């Protein structure tokens, strides 16, 4: 029997919590642009990964501290992943990185467009191996040259994909030319929709989550309209 995620709800700091078998996913929205910041915490080891230190370093610090309660050991922020180089996704990166011992990482082609030095860069198909869980990296070119999605494959349920600004409920991320759109559409189609089932959960860079099943019927519509 498939174990479904349990949405615990909203706590005082407006943190949405999703409980999976081995990890907890926390999400907060920051800034006037409703940027999502995600924290993944291993329940057994306390390992923590932050996805997109978009803004409000104090709120992110609170998020990390709250995540420490999900595990039998003290939480440990080991990695900060930036899904893409756009300014609204990195405003708190320097502060968060400087106040922790976490390594920083992004897609290889976006490294030079981020002012904070990267300890790691990812290519399509790479895997980040951490104590308690692994994260697969999918390169989704088009929104930026080095945009990436981060995949957590839940052993007891559907996969969870943190898609940055490449895939949203209702369409793809913004692109600056027909060629960029075609590249993004191809990557999202071939690397996500063709590879993952309908129950896969998409956690976008802004707004609420969706599933591939909810979005799949609209792929041709997106292609025809060009966004």
């Amino acid at each position: 029997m498939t174990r479904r995620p349990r949405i615990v709800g909203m706590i005082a700091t407006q943190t949405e919590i999703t409980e999976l078998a081995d990890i907890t996913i926390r999400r907060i929205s920051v800034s006037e642009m409703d940027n999502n910041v995600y924290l993944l915490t291993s329940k057994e080891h306390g390992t923590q990964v932050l996805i997109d230190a978009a803004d409000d370093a104090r709120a992110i610090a609170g998020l990390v501290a709250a995540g420490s309660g999900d595990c039998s050991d003290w939480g440990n922020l080991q990695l900060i992943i930036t899904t893409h180089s756009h300014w609204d996704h990195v405003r708190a990166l320097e502060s968060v990185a400087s106040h922790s011992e976490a390594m920083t990482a992004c897609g290889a082609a976006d490294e030079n467009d981020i002012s904070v030095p990267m300890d790691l860069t990812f290519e399509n198909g790479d895997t980040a191996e951490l104590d308690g869980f692994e994260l697969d990296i999918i390169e989704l070119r088009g929104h930026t040259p080095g945009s990436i999605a981060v995949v957590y494959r839940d052993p007891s349920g559907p996969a969870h994909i943190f898609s940055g600004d490449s895939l949203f409920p209702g369409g793809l991320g913004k692109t600056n030319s027909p060629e960029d759109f075609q590249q993004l559409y191809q990557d999202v189609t071939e690397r996500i929709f063709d590879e993952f089932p309908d129950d896969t959960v998409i956690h976008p860079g802004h707004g609420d989550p969706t599933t591939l099943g909810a979005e799949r019927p609209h792929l041709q519509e997106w292609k025809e309209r060009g966004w």
Side-chain angles (χ1 to χ4, degrees):
M1 181 177 179
T2 300
R3 184 180 187 276
R4 289 188 172 274
R6 179 167 63 93
I7 305 298
V8 176
M10 307 297 285
I11 62 177
T13 54
Q14 296 296 297
T15 303
E16 182 175 301
I17 306 171
T18 303
E19 296 283 2
L20 304 182
D22 296 332
I23 72 168
T24 301
I25 301 172
R26 278 179 159 79
R27 171 172 71 99
I28 58 173
S29 173
V30 298
S31 86
E32 71 284 357
M33 297 185 70
D34 188 28
N35 290 82
N36 287 326
V37 179
Y38 297 97
L39 181 74
L40 283 57
T41 305
S42 166
K43 294 180 178 180
E44 179 179 0
H45 297 278
T47 308
Q48 294 179 314
V49 174
L50 188 75
I51 300 176
D52 283 347
D55 199 13
D56 197 341
R58 178 173 294 183
I60 293 174
L63 182 72
V64 172
S68 299
D70 297 331
C71 53
S72 57
D73 196 1
W74 188 254
N76 178 16
L77 181 61
Q78 293 190 354
L79 185 62
I80 305 168
I81 300 176
T82 299
T83 60
H84 64 288
S85 59
H86 284 166
W87 66 276
D88 61 309
H89 286 257
V90 299
R91 282 181 283 185
L93 179 57
E94 182 175 8
S95 178
V96 173
S98 67
H99 286 87
S100 73
E101 297 182 357
M103 300 182 72
T104 55
C106 70
D110 273 10
E111 180 182 14
N112 292 335
D113 294 324
I114 300 174
S115 60
V116 177
M118 294 291 113
D119 298 304
L120 301 170
T121 58
F122 292 127
E123 304 278 359
N124 186 57
D126 284 347
T127 299
E129 298 182 357
L130 303 121
D131 291 336
F133 61 100
E134 295 182 348
L135 299 172
D136 295 332
I137 304 299
I138 300 176
E139 191 176 37
L140 300 174
R141 300 158 294 183
H143 183 65
T144 64
S147 287
I148 58 173
V150 180
V151 184
Y152 173 69
R153 299 178 189 267
D154 184 4
S156 302
H160 291 255
I161 300 180
F162 301 86
S163 58
D165 283 3
S166 293
L167 176 60
F168 293 101
L172 304 183
K174 180 181 178 180
T175 53
N176 293 320
S177 70
E179 293 76 19
D180 286 344
F181 172 79
Q182 289 300 324
Q183 181 66 76
L184 181 56
Y185 183 86
Q186 177 180 325
D187 282 358
V188 167
T189 300
E190 294 179 354
R191 297 177 178 182
I192 293 184
F193 282 95
D194 290 351
E195 295 294 327
F196 292 88
D198 282 351
D199 62 353
T200 301
V201 182
I202 302 299
H203 301 272
H206 306 260
D208 293 327
T210 185
T211 64
L212 290 188
E215 307 306 322
R216 195 183 302 276
H218 305 290
L219 279 170
Q220 186 60 34
E221 173 191 342
W222 301 350
K223 184 177 182 180
E224 292 173 356
R225 76 189 186 191
W227 56 275

